[in-house]
Amino acid sequence: MLDENTRKYYTGFVWDVALNIVSSAIPIAVLQLVILPTIASATSSEKNGQIVTLISFLTLAAEPFGFALNNTKLLVNETYTMEKSRGDFNYLLLISIPLNAIIIIIGTIYYAPDGGAVFVFMMLLTSTIILLQRYFMVFFRLTLNYRRILLDSFFLCTGYLIGLLLFNTSRDWILVYASGSIFSLSQTLWHNKLLKGPIRRTPFFKNILKKNSILLFVEFMNSIVKYADRLILYPLLGGVAVSIYYSATIISKLISLAVTPLSTVILSYFSKMESLKRRTFYVMLSVGLTVGAVCYIFCVLIAESILNWLYPKWAAESMQLVYITTACAVVGAVNNIVRPAVLKFRNISWQLLLGGADTVLYIGLAYTFFLIGGLKGFCIGLLINAIIQLFLRVVIFLTQPQST
């Protein structure tokens, strides 16, 4: 029998996971079931592929800076609290914004050379807002206030839907993401104390800069792996191939609805723990594999109906890839469950190795198998890489000593 405190702990954990799943599911559902199909139906397959590529680039550039600061804050917050120290993070935030701007300007000109100055400015504005929102959201994670994160999702979706109305009159898709990001950040800042933090360096700055730099590198590697498929395919095969491929991955988004929120809650709880037993790790891994297998079967069964409903123009071509892309998503989901354990309880330097290996293998395997089997070969290369990454993380956790 569990004592009262243990029962409350696990009940709170399950409740927070449920809230975070709903918080993630709502905006993803609005995007995947309403926003993106509407944009796709109003554009050609070539233009839609370019839009999907630009959306991927937009988040690839902004999220690493925001999430690196977010996770660094989670990992070291206890130290700052004990020492009653304030600073460093808003200072790092001001450094991150111009670095993100440089990446966005260069990438936007490359992927949309005919976009014009106004479009580049809108990409830059939206990307900056996304970066700020991803960082300041950590305040709710530190206080385990997942109700506030749920509220943020409603604001985000409201902004998306208002942006969709603007798209219907202007045919400018960036307004959807700009509107959603503005609504989301407004709610986050209204209930946030981190913005009031001083812009100064503390005696911890050197150590924090090192941790943040490592996590920034890792987040960039993770984002490249997450979004590079579209960024690579667009120059190789054009927008039509991106549209077909992206539609094939729509089913796998159902899996990420549950697993990505679970991963963030796990890290939030791990931030308050000193160690993790092997037995607990084995349970996490086993549950992840079991749930993943069930999700795979379910997603494959419903794939054809959903694709014909959302993307009828190229559903038949996408169905040929669904079995591989869904398997890739399942393995990636289990990887995301294991990842917080390695991040928190093993030397942070391992993140450099894992991030670098993931990126090199991802690009190398995807391109090699693309040369062999075209678009389907590309997907097989991604699946092989996902399996290798899961294996590496499990081995590192089981064989390496706990970080101090």
Side-chain angles (χ1 to χ4, degrees):
M1 293 290 292
L2 298 175
D3 59 52
E4 185 65 22
N5 290 334
T6 304
R7 241 191 336 266
K8 286 183 179 179
Y9 178 85
Y10 283 112
T11 300
F13 175 79
V14 171
W15 179 245
D16 287 341
V17 169
L19 283 176
N20 213 25
I21 288 174
V22 174
S23 301
S24 296
I26 293 172
I28 290 177
V30 170
L31 279 175
Q32 300 299 333
L33 301 180
V34 180
I35 304 295
L36 294 177
T38 301
I39 293 175
S41 66
T43 57
S44 66
S45 56
E46 180 66 32
K47 181 63 177 177
N48 180 71
Q50 184 191 45
I51 292 172
V52 168
T53 302
L54 286 166
I55 292 171
S56 299
F57 176 71
L58 181 69
T59 46
L60 181 150
E63 285 189 346
F65 287 104
F67 280 140
L69 284 168
N70 186 308
N71 286 332
T72 304
K73 181 75 172 177
L74 273 178
L75 293 174
V76 303
N77 188 65
E78 290 298 311
T79 301
Y80 277 74
T81 300
M82 288 189 294
E83 297 294 331
K84 297 181 180 179
S85 181
R86 300 178 69 207
D88 293 334
F89 285 93
N90 284 352
Y91 186 88
L92 286 172
L93 183 62
L94 289 181
I95 296 174
S96 299
I97 291 173
L99 293 176
N100 172 66
I102 294 171
I103 296 171
I104 280 291
I105 292 171
I106 294 173
T108 302
I109 293 173
Y110 175 75
Y111 285 108
D114 56 345
V118 174
F119 180 72
V120 173
F121 171 77
M122 289 300 296
M123 286 283 288
L124 182 59
L125 173 65
T126 306
S127 182
T128 302
I129 294 172
I130 291 173
L131 187 161
L132 293 171
Q133 196 276 340
R134 296 299 187 270
Y135 167 60
F136 285 115
M137 184 63 71
V138 74
F139 177 73
F140 304 133
R141 294 177 67 189
L142 285 170
T143 55
L144 300 180
N145 190 348
Y146 288 95
R147 290 182 178 85
R148 188 61 64 185
I149 294 176
L150 177 61
L151 180 61
D152 176 78
S153 294
F154 285 111
F155 272 79
L156 178 63
C157 291
T158 301
Y160 280 156
L161 294 174
I162 291 174
L164 187 61
L165 294 176
L166 297 174
F167 169 80
N168 287 333
T169 57
S170 68
R171 287 296 184 264
D172 196 349
W173 66 269
I174 189 63
L175 295 177
V176 176
Y177 282 81
S179 177
S181 301
I182 290 171
F183 269 71
S184 175
L185 180 63
S186 299
Q187 189 279 145
T188 300
L189 293 181
W190 185 262
H191 300 93
N192 207 302
K193 297 180 180 179
L194 296 181
L195 185 63
K196 299 177 182 178
I199 303 174
R200 69 183 182 198
R201 301 200 302 184
T202 74
F204 299 109
F205 180 76
K206 185 176 180 180
N207 181 50
I208 296 307
L209 179 61
K210 178 183 176 182
K211 284 182 179 291
N212 186 73
S213 298
I214 291 173
L215 289 178
L216 178 59
F217 173 80
V218 173
E219 289 294 340
F220 262 117
M221 296 303 100
N222 289 338
S223 290
I224 288 173
V225 169
K226 187 176 180 181
Y227 299 112
D229 45 11
R230 286 140 274 181
L231 300 176
I232 294 172
L233 282 175
Y234 187 75
L236 289 176
L237 294 175
V240 175
V242 173
S243 293
I244 293 170
Y245 170 80
Y246 186 76
S247 299
T249 64
I250 187 74
I251 307 302
S252 64
K253 300 293 189 298
L254 296 173
I255 299 172
S256 68
L257 287 180
V259 177
T260 301
L262 175 60
S263 178
T264 59
V265 175
I266 288 172
L267 184 57
S268 297
Y269 275 79
F270 280 177
S271 69
K272 303 179 183 301
M273 295 170 58
E274 297 296 326
S275 63
L276 181 69
K277 295 179 181 179
R278 279 194 173 203
R279 180 181 177 183
T280 305
F281 179 81
Y282 285 134
V283 170
M284 288 170 51
L285 183 59
S286 299
V287 170
L289 290 170
T290 303
V291 174
V294 173
C295 288
Y296 178 83
I297 295 171
F298 175 74
C299 289
V300 167
L301 289 175
I302 66 172
E304 188 170 6
S305 298
I306 291 182
L307 285 174
N308 284 321
W309 170 41
L310 296 177
Y311 298 100
K313 293 180 184 178
W314 48 81
E317 293 90 339
S318 296
M319 268 304 299
Q320 298 176 26
L321 306 175
V322 161
Y323 301 97
I324 307 171
T325 57
T326 305
C328 190
V330 167
V331 178
V334 180
N335 204 349
N336 279 334
I337 293 175
V338 173
R339 183 171 174 263
V342 179
L343 176 60
K344 170 62 179 177
F345 301 111
R346 296 297 178 263
N347 193 300
I348 198 170
S349 298
W350 282 110
Q351 301 303 316
L352 289 173
L353 175 63
L354 288 167
D358 197 4
T359 304
V360 171
L361 288 171
Y362 182 99
I363 296 174
L365 289 169
Y367 186 68
T368 299
F369 280 84
F370 164 76
L371 295 176
I372 297 171
L375 188 53
K376 183 174 288 187
F378 181 87
C379 296
I380 292 172
L382 299 187
L383 175 58
I384 294 172
N385 177 63
I387 293 170
I388 293 173
Q389 295 309 310
L390 175 59
F391 175 77
L392 287 176
R393 282 186 168 83
V394 172
V395 169
I396 288 172
F397 183 86
L398 296 178
T399 62
Q400 297 304 306
Q402 180 168 313
S403 60
T404 56

